[in-house]
């Protein structure tokens, strides 16, 4: 399952600031649009090259774990499990918590991770776990308010389910190893 999650070229998370800045990202690629100008091949290219090389590393690591699962070595029958989807999913969940803290620190309003239901109902995207907030900027010359949207995409839920399954498998495998060592 980890090999499938790592190999899929889909984005995990969407962030938009007033619709002017839109970021769709995963641990392996970042798509960024500023004022409808795509920055993937200019500003984001160095970061994406590093993230793509990380994807290739994770694909090879997942293949090694799959090999160990199919062909356990001699006395070590405990199957090795990649924990990458679990750790990456937790990192994205921390993103929601940090976003809520920043919104609370700047505006004094508590934002719950149950945001707007407007556009995502008709598009079929996940409607739960979105964060909607207003970001206000002001100076003596101007004042502006932006709607900030920050929510997971469908691939995030697949990665989260895979990560939880990996964690459960790791716990069960370590219990089996303890029982076999006795």
């Amino acid at each position: 399952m980890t090999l499938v999650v790592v190999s899929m070229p889909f984005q995990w998370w969407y962030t938009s600031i007033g619709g002017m800045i839109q970021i769709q990202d995963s641990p392996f690629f970042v798509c960024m649009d500023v004022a409808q100008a795509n920055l993937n091949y200019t500003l984001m290219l160095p970061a994406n090259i590093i993230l793509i090389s990380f994807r290739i590393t994770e694909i090879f690591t997942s293949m090694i774990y799959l090999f160990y699962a199919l062909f356990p070595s001699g006395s070590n029958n405990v199957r090795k499990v990649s924990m990458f989807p679990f750790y990456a999913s937790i990192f994205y969940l921390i993103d929601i918590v940090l976003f809520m803290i920043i919104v609370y620190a700047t505006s004094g309003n508590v934002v719950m991770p149950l945001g707007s239901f407007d556009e995502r109902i008709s598009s079929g995207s996940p409607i739960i776990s979105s964060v909607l907030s207003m970001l206000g900027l002001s100076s003596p010359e101007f004042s502006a308010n932006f709607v900030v949207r920050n929510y997971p995409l469908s691939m995030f839920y697949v990665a989260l389910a895979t990560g939880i399954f990996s964690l459960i498998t790791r716990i069960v495998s370590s219990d089996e190893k303890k029982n076999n060592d006795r």
Side-chain angles (χ1 to χ4, degrees):
M1 289 171 50
T2 300
L3 185 59
V4 171
V5 168
V6 171
S7 300
M8 291 293 181
F10 302 122
Q11 306 303 327
W12 292 20
W13 208 266
Y14 175 82
T15 303
S16 172
I17 301 174
M20 293 190 59
I21 300 173
Q22 296 180 3
I23 302 169
Q24 294 182 0
D25 68 334
S26 74
F28 313 113
F29 197 79
V30 177
C31 295
M32 184 176 195
D33 296 329
V34 176
Q36 298 183 353
N38 189 322
L39 300 179
N40 295 341
Y41 301 107
T42 55
L43 181 65
M44 298 309 301
L45 185 61
N48 281 334
I49 289 172
I50 293 169
L51 293 175
I52 289 170
S53 65
F54 178 63
R55 176 191 299 254
I56 292 169
T57 303
E58 283 300 318
I59 287 173
F60 282 121
T61 303
S62 297
M63 289 170 64
I64 290 169
Y65 283 133
L66 182 61
F67 178 79
Y68 280 130
L70 295 175
F71 306 105
S73 60
S75 63
N76 186 9
N77 287 334
V78 177
R79 299 192 176 175
K80 298 184 180 207
V81 179
S82 173
M83 294 299 292
F84 173 77
F86 177 73
Y87 295 129
S89 300
I90 295 299
F91 174 74
Y92 278 99
L93 292 176
I94 290 172
D95 178 50
I96 286 182
V97 173
L98 290 176
F99 183 78
M100 291 170 32
I101 290 170
I102 290 170
V103 168
Y104 180 75
T106 58
S107 67
N109 297 325
V110 175
V111 177
M112 297 306 292
L114 297 172
S116 86
F117 295 94
D118 55 353
E119 299 166 0
R120 286 179 298 288
I121 286 180
S122 60
S123 68
S125 298
I127 58 173
I128 298 179
S129 298
S130 69
V131 176
L132 175 69
S133 178
M134 292 294 287
L135 174 66
L137 303 173
S138 62
S139 71
E141 292 85 30
F142 74 94
S143 176
N145 289 320
F146 299 102
V147 174
V148 177
R149 295 176 190 269
N150 189 17
Y151 57 87
L153 300 173
S154 299
M155 192 63 192
F156 171 78
Y157 294 112
V158 172
L160 181 63
T162 301
I164 291 172
F165 182 74
S166 297
L167 179 65
I168 291 168
T169 304
R170 176 70 62 99
I171 292 169
V172 169
S173 294
S174 65
D175 286 345
E176 285 178 8
K177 184 177 180 182
K178 287 178 187 176
N179 290 337
N180 289 339
D181 290 342
R182 290 182 188 175

